[in-house]
Amino acid sequence: MYEEDEFRALLSATDVPPTGVDVARMLHAGRRRTRHRRLAGIGGTLAVALTVLGAVPLALDPTGQPGPATSVPASASASGVPSPGPAGPPVCTVTALALPPEYQAWKSLPNFRGVEVSTADPTGRYIGGHAVVGQNFIPILWTDGKPKVLQIDPTSASIDAINEHGVVVGMSGGSASRAYRYQNGKVTMLRAPVGKTWLFPHPYINAAGDMVINAKPQNAHDDDSRTVIAMWRAGTSSPVILPLPKHTGVRGITDDGRIIGGVGENGSSHDAYVWDQKGNGRKLTGPAGTTTNATAARGDWATGGSWREGQKGPTVMLWNLRTGEAKELTRDLGTGVNASGWVVTGIPRGEVLVDGVALALPPIVAGGRTRASSVADDGRIAGDSFEGETSVPVQWHCR
């Protein structure tokens, strides 16, 4: 599912289609380390990717204060998206996110590895991230730029998705991970479906607060035929099973309740799909000779990847769900999209594409690299700015 799709984007020697399953128990046990390695921008071979490596140590601005904003012209523009007007394309400015007071204590821990951004809501008001201590995450939620450490689980918790009302969802705990909801200061641990306690890779949420995730038995290993799609209605803690086809892998839920993902067999997603909650599906077509998977949707747009036999890695796909138009963009995997069709790409680059061209996201420190995690409808982008091994959680405003 999610992690293995991104592994395939990472592995330059891999010529197989996008997967439809998690990488069995290895990815279930190593999902925290996988994400930290991915955010640090580490590439490599299949042997490297399938070895659960330790995270790269990161350091942060010791002041914990927002840095000065800088700007450069973006390298692309598109109709219907934020722009400064007729004078030119969007201009992006960057500001470091403030760090919580706990940061000073974390710095003294021998296994403290830094702070990173993981996601944001569609409005850009709410940004989720985490401090990395050893192989565990301490979740941090920024609301209008103000950070707060969430008390989700004493071991570890990730913030994986946020809706525009500030409802946070993610995975908590160690090896026996559970899905949770954080809403109005209250944490609710969600019951797994009976006999399907392996939840992966993480929950997705829409504006109404409905959540979906893939679930299978703990001993299912690579048997994706035993995967079901579980949904928790807003405010509930017990799931219902959606009547979607076998070999379905979910990757998101739209505000109107549609489910997006892929269908395939033998661990691979062959075709991207969008379904209603009764199981009626519509295939999202790709170019001839490709297999496809949909990984995110917002408004009229969906993104994901297309794979060709013999091609090393995926190509970003952008679908218009209203017109049915499909476009291939650049070589990478689309992992997020906003209501104007701006696409966030996955590893190793973490770019934002407008009309298929990457925005120029300025780093905090001149000459540093950047990695975007999400893009809001108004052009705000959340992610990290790197200078060597130093990571600073940031937000860009692109208008």
Side-chain angles (χ1 to χ4, degrees):
M1 297 303 295
Y2 184 75
E3 286 89 348
E4 192 174 352
D5 274 338
E6 294 190 311
F7 269 129
R8 295 197 189 280
L10 171 67
L11 305 179
S12 60
T14 303
D15 301 327
V16 294
T19 179
V21 298
D22 54 343
V23 190
R25 294 186 179 275
M26 183 280 294
L27 279 178
H28 177 68
R31 65 184 302 273
R32 292 186 300 275
R33 285 168 285 186
T34 298
R35 170 180 289 168
H36 189 249
R37 183 169 66 254
R38 181 175 74 243
L39 299 190
I42 297 175
T45 63
L46 180 61
V48 173
L50 296 182
T51 303
V52 184
L53 300 176
V56 174
L58 300 175
L60 293 174
D61 177 0
T63 66
Q65 300 301 315
T70 60
S71 66
V72 297
S75 51
S77 64
S79 60
V81 299
S83 75
V91 174
C92 298
T93 61
V94 62
T95 302
L97 296 173
L99 297 172
E102 291 88 344
Y103 174 72
Q104 298 302 322
W106 296 336
K107 289 195 303 181
S108 64
L109 299 175
N111 54 354
F112 175 64
R113 298 178 181 273
V115 175
E116 301 165 338
V117 168
S118 56
T119 189
D121 84 293
T123 72
R125 286 194 61 203
Y126 303 100
I127 299 174
H130 48 261
V132 183
V133 181
Q135 300 301 333
N136 295 322
F137 287 173
I138 301 174
I140 305 170
L141 177 66
W142 287 268
T143 302
D144 295 324
K146 184 178 180 180
K148 179 180 181 180
V149 176
L150 303 187
Q151 304 301 318
I152 305 296
D153 186 280
T155 303
S156 181
S158 59
I159 296 179
D160 294 307
I162 312 170
N163 73 6
E164 46 264 66
H165 305 294
V167 182
V168 173
V169 297
M171 301 298 290
S172 69
S175 58
S177 295
R178 297 180 62 188
Y180 74 87
R181 178 196 301 114
Y182 177 90
Q183 184 173 9
N184 298 325
K186 179 183 177 182
V187 179
T188 301
M189 292 298 169
L190 305 175
R191 298 187 183 95
V194 175
K196 309 278 188 177
T197 57
W198 186 351
L199 307 179
F200 64 95
H202 59 75
Y204 306 91
I205 189 170
N206 66 6
D210 296 332
M211 301 166 51
V212 291
I213 199 171
N214 303 285
K216 66 168 68 173
Q218 286 288 339
N219 61 353
H221 298 281
D222 292 330
D223 184 2
D224 57 330
S225 68
R226 301 174 68 185
T227 298
V228 299
I229 309 305
M231 167 179 276
W232 293 267
R233 305 290 183 186
T236 66
S237 59
S238 297
V240 296
I241 303 302
L242 298 181
L244 270 61
K246 283 188 176 182
H247 304 285
T248 291
V250 64
R251 293 296 304 271
I253 179 171
T254 64
D255 286 349
D256 60 8
R258 288 176 292 175
I259 310 300
I260 64 161
V263 171
E265 295 185 22
N266 301 320
S268 295
S269 173
H270 300 159
D271 297 303
Y273 264 85
V274 57
W275 299 271
D276 64 23
Q277 293 181 21
K278 295 181 180 179
N280 302 307
R282 176 164 64 95
K283 181 179 175 180
L284 301 177
T285 59
T290 66
T291 58
T292 57
N293 199 7
T295 59
R298 175 71 178 163
D300 289 338
W301 301 98
T303 190
S306 63
W307 282 255
R308 284 179 170 82
E309 185 176 356
Q311 175 178 296
K312 298 177 180 179
T315 300
V316 176
M317 286 297 303
L318 179 64
W319 290 278
N320 187 309
L321 298 177
R322 179 175 51 84
T323 66
E325 181 183 11
K327 291 182 180 180
E328 283 188 308
L329 303 180
T330 189
R331 290 288 295 277
D332 210 325
L333 179 69
T335 58
V337 65
N338 73 359
S340 296
W342 295 21
V343 175
V344 180
T345 70
I347 53 174
R349 291 176 290 185
E351 296 178 327
V352 176
L353 306 177
V354 180
D355 285 346
V357 181
L359 293 176
L361 300 178
I364 285 291
V365 179
R369 61 187 176 88
T370 60
R371 184 198 58 81
S373 295
S374 64
V375 57
D377 291 342
D378 66 357
R380 281 186 281 185
I381 298 166
D384 299 292
S385 178
F386 294 87
E387 176 64 20
E389 293 184 349
T390 301
S391 170
V392 179
V394 299
Q395 186 176 52
W396 291 273
H397 290 69
C398 298
R399 298 183 182 277

